Amino acid sequence: FAIARSNGILDEFFRTAFERESQPCLEGRLGVILEFLEKHTPRDTFAGAPPPADLCVEPQSAAATAERVVGEYLRVFNNQCVWQWAQSHGLSYERAKLLWQQASGSNELVQGTSGSPLPDVANICNETSFLQYLARAGLILGEPPATGAPPPVTFTPKEIREAVQFYVSMETLHRQPQ
């Protein structure tokens, strides 16, 4: 609202954000609002921060498989880990993402090619921390979300474990730390 008001485009904001025909569900409308923000927010407003879409789970259909939904949550979890690490090291999100990708390729490296410290990706973003994130998000049947409403779809602990193991086996997610 503040971005729309400051840009003098309140009508466009309300037409976009509250149009119910194309996106009748709350999750779909959130995606539309995020697109509006990315389109109309001055680039320097969030200098060094991630794009909003990197930190928000995209809406999933009720028929989506556990593997698909868990994969979307993994994308967001990974980006949140990068952002938290960036903030703790005084780095921009983009710079931290590059270092994160560099560190993901090797467990032995502690410094990037530029001399910057690399994150301990396996210790930060692993099977255990991701399962805790999924439980806090309320994605696991029987686990209430830590904040907000539960997601539109939940899965049994077994389905979640199998989906997480798929991403571990694909080396998209690190195993539990030893």
Side-chain angles (χ1 to χ4, degrees):
F1 179 79
I3 297 294
R5 186 175 61 195
S6 68
N7 289 338
I9 53 174
L10 282 174
D11 288 344
E12 181 182 348
F13 171 73
F14 285 112
R15 274 194 314 276
T16 302
F18 298 101
E19 188 275 316
R20 297 184 208 183
E21 298 300 318
S22 66
Q23 296 292 338
C25 68
L26 180 61
E27 294 83 7
R29 281 194 247 158
L30 175 61
V32 170
I33 291 171
L34 288 173
E35 286 176 23
F36 180 90
L37 280 174
E38 286 184 17
K39 180 179 176 184
H40 296 289
T41 302
R43 292 287 168 225
D44 61 347
T45 301
F46 300 110
D54 278 12
L55 302 179
C56 292
V57 174
E58 290 288 325
Q60 303 291 309
S61 84
T65 65
E67 198 172 280
R68 169 110 171 96
V69 174
V70 167
E72 175 58 15
Y73 275 79
L74 179 57
R75 178 190 69 80
V76 171
F77 175 69
N78 188 68
N79 291 335
Q80 288 179 353
C81 289
V82 171
W83 180 226
Q84 288 171 357
W85 183 80
Q87 290 176 307
S88 70
H89 287 79
L91 300 169
S92 72
Y93 176 70
E94 289 306 316
R95 176 77 180 130
K97 202 163 187 176
L98 290 172
L99 293 170
W100 189 274
Q101 290 168 348
Q102 193 174 2
S104 294
S106 172
N107 289 338
E108 294 84 36
L109 292 176
V110 293
Q111 269 191 333
T113 54
S114 65
S116 298
L118 294 178
D120 184 357
V121 175
N123 194 42
I124 299 168
C125 185
N126 59 60
E127 180 180 4
T128 302
S129 59
F130 183 52
L131 284 168
Q132 291 168 348
Y133 169 77
L134 293 176
R136 286 190 311 272
L139 196 62
I140 303 172
L141 192 63
E143 295 280 341
T147 59
V153 62
T154 58
F155 298 96
T156 66
K158 180 179 187 271
E159 290 172 311
I160 293 289
R161 278 192 308 277
E162 288 173 355
V164 168
Q165 284 306 308
F166 169 77
Y167 290 103
V168 169
S169 71
M170 297 295 293
E171 297 183 359
T172 308
L173 181 64
H174 291 274
R175 294 197 181 285
Q176 295 178 352
Q178 300 298 336

